[in-house]
Amino acid sequence: MEQNQANQSTRGSYVTQGEEFTRDTNYIEDRILDGTDVPAGTNDRDHGVWPVEAGRYRLIAARACPWANRTIIVRRLLGLEDALSIGMPGPTHDARSWTFTLDPGGKDPVLGIERLQQAFFARYPGYPRGITVPAIVDVPSGKVVTNDFPQITEDFSKQWTAFHREGAPDLWPEELEEEMREVMQRVFGEVNNGVYRCGFAGSQEAYEKAYRRLWAALDWLEERLSSRRYLMGDHITEADVRLFTTLARFDVVYFSHFKANRQMLSTLPNLWGYARDLFQTPGFGDTVDFEQIKEHYYGVQRDINPTGIVPVGPDVAGWLTDHGRERLGGSPFDAENGATPPGPVRASEKVAAGHNPLYPVNA
């Protein structure tokens, strides 16, 4: 969840009348690094650097949040489940914090806390910014380490290599990184954040400006994906993870709730085929909980949806229909370099039955 949104929630509002939405991107920028990349003299947490250690940290990531969903996907693709445990708050929160309402007794079973706020306050008493997910918590001390979501997933790929599964994909190919960063920056600024600029616009002028920017970027992506299977070419990269979590929420939330409604994703042949291709790839769709997504956006953001009514639809069965993207060549995982799909989702981490067409109620 974005910092700006969390801060505003303490005042009961997500929208500032007459203003454009501006995201607060000031995060806790500590890094968890392997030994080879820790600068001399800065190898402890007092200097913003923490060591990579299996079992030491806990990822807190609500399924409802697109930024947190990224970390769930990357953790699964790379096979970090044994090295990094995960805690999942419920889909809604109050003005104070995300809460562990899905766990027995309303407490995270590892950290023993009811609210993520407690981990932030353990390190920074009275922490004044948003209590956001994803966050990584140091289990021994109970203190938050970082909530810098784009850096978290990059470090999963580059710093946690000792704990990657056999066959883990290279989500940051060195030869593509420069272009990939440019693509990801545009995706973040115009699409990931663009839907929020539409939804939280405080004036008609701000909304229409945001709407035009969003759709200009979506049209660019529709064209880009007409000739390549994935954003960077023949195989999945971090760029695809970052775009996917917005696309997965587009028709169920952003189209209506955020008024990003020129047309539904399902009417854009290349983007819709691409999104389904990813959804049907192990590690992507099996992390998505459509019911929690709707409950979060429609239930929490009351200045946009005052009644708190959560819509029953839309029908999400179409995510499992044939995507036809094989015609462009390529494959999700670069088999020539040893990449393979992740194994089955752990039973304790499966999306609830009926919340995703991959997990039907009567399966």
Side-chain angles (χ1 to χ4, degrees):
M1 180 180 179
E2 62 287 343
Q3 297 269 5
N4 182 286
Q5 185 173 335
N7 286 339
Q8 290 178 332
S9 70
T10 63
R11 301 193 300 272
S13 176
Y14 296 88
V15 177
T16 302
Q17 189 66 34
E19 296 183 11
E20 295 182 4
F21 170 74
T22 302
R23 183 178 301 281
D24 181 347
T25 56
N26 290 295
Y27 302 101
I28 301 170
E29 296 181 345
D30 284 28
R31 303 275 303 281
I32 301 174
L33 305 179
D34 71 21
T36 62
D37 287 332
V38 177
T42 60
N43 59 350
D44 62 77
R45 61 179 181 268
D46 293 330
H47 296 88
V49 176
W50 304 62
V52 170
E53 292 181 16
R56 176 171 178 173
Y57 306 101
R58 187 158 175 82
L59 172 66
I60 305 301
R63 290 192 188 277
C65 170
W67 321 107
N69 195 175
R70 295 179 181 186
T71 61
I72 300 171
I73 292 170
V74 173
R75 172 179 173 270
R76 175 153 155 65
L77 290 174
L78 299 178
L80 292 174
E81 292 93 336
D82 287 335
L84 180 67
S85 69
I86 191 168
M88 295 185 179
T92 62
H93 58 79
D94 58 21
R96 291 169 57 195
S97 176
W98 293 87
T99 56
F100 296 97
T101 54
L102 302 179
D103 292 307
K107 290 185 177 182
D108 179 87
V110 173
L111 299 174
I113 58 177
E114 297 176 348
R115 297 173 174 274
L116 180 57
Q117 182 187 56
Q118 293 169 258
F120 280 71
F121 282 6
R123 185 170 179 200
Y124 301 109
Y127 184 74
R129 312 195 74 84
I131 307 299
T132 67
V133 290
I136 294 181
V137 177
D138 177 50
V139 174
S141 68
K143 297 179 179 180
V144 67
V145 174
T146 179
N147 62 343
D148 188 355
F149 66 90
Q151 192 63 59
I152 287 172
T153 50
E154 182 174 350
D155 285 346
F156 282 174
S157 283
K158 297 180 177 180
Q159 301 296 328
W160 289 75
T161 54
F163 303 103
H164 287 183
R165 65 178 176 86
E166 184 177 355
D170 181 2
L171 299 177
W172 286 79
E174 184 177 358
E175 70 278 10
L176 297 176
E177 184 166 334
E178 183 177 357
E179 181 189 2
M180 190 168 80
R181 287 192 183 277
E182 293 175 356
V183 170
M184 291 191 301
Q185 183 58 39
R186 187 169 182 183
V187 167
F188 171 75
E190 305 302 307
V191 180
N192 301 146
N193 195 41
V195 291
Y196 285 87
R197 276 199 303 269
C198 288
F200 297 152
S203 70
Q204 186 71 32
E205 180 181 8
Y207 162 69
E208 291 185 11
K209 178 181 177 182
Y211 178 95
R212 289 192 296 270
R213 285 181 61 179
L214 169 65
W215 280 102
L218 289 172
D219 287 341
W220 164 68
L221 288 166
E222 177 73 4
E223 176 61 28
R224 183 178 180 91
L225 291 166
S226 67
S227 59
R228 62 184 77 200
R229 186 164 178 182
Y230 303 104
L231 279 180
M232 303 310 302
D234 287 342
H235 310 292
I236 59 170
T237 64
E238 170 98 8
D240 299 298
V241 176
R242 296 188 180 194
L243 177 57
F244 172 77
T245 58
T246 294
L247 298 183
R249 289 157 176 77
F250 198 88
D251 285 359
V252 298
V253 172
Y254 302 145
F255 176 85
S256 54
H257 184 58
F258 279 178
K259 308 178 186 70
N261 59 356
R262 191 188 78 179
Q263 57 196 109
M264 298 185 79
L265 176 68
S266 57
T267 68
L268 296 163
N270 297 324
L271 272 166
W272 178 227
Y274 163 82
R276 283 177 291 156
D277 190 359
L278 290 175
F279 186 88
Q280 294 168 34
T281 297
F284 285 84
D286 52 34
T287 71
V288 175
D289 190 316
F290 288 116
E291 294 305 310
Q292 287 198 24
I293 288 167
K294 290 191 295 183
E295 187 176 349
H296 171 69
Y297 283 93
Y298 287 102
V300 172
Q301 296 164 2
R302 292 299 185 92
D303 51 348
I304 300 177
N305 185 41
T307 65
I309 293 172
V310 178
V312 175
D315 184 358
V316 294
W319 282 94
L320 297 186
T321 59
D322 181 37
H323 54 75
R325 299 287 290 177
E326 300 93 341
R327 72 184 188 281
L328 297 172
S331 61
F333 301 96
D334 184 0
E336 290 187 4
N337 287 310
T340 60
V345 180
R346 296 184 175 194
S348 62
E349 296 183 11
K350 283 187 175 182
V351 172
H355 289 203
N356 175 324
L358 290 167
Y359 300 102
V361 173
N362 298 319

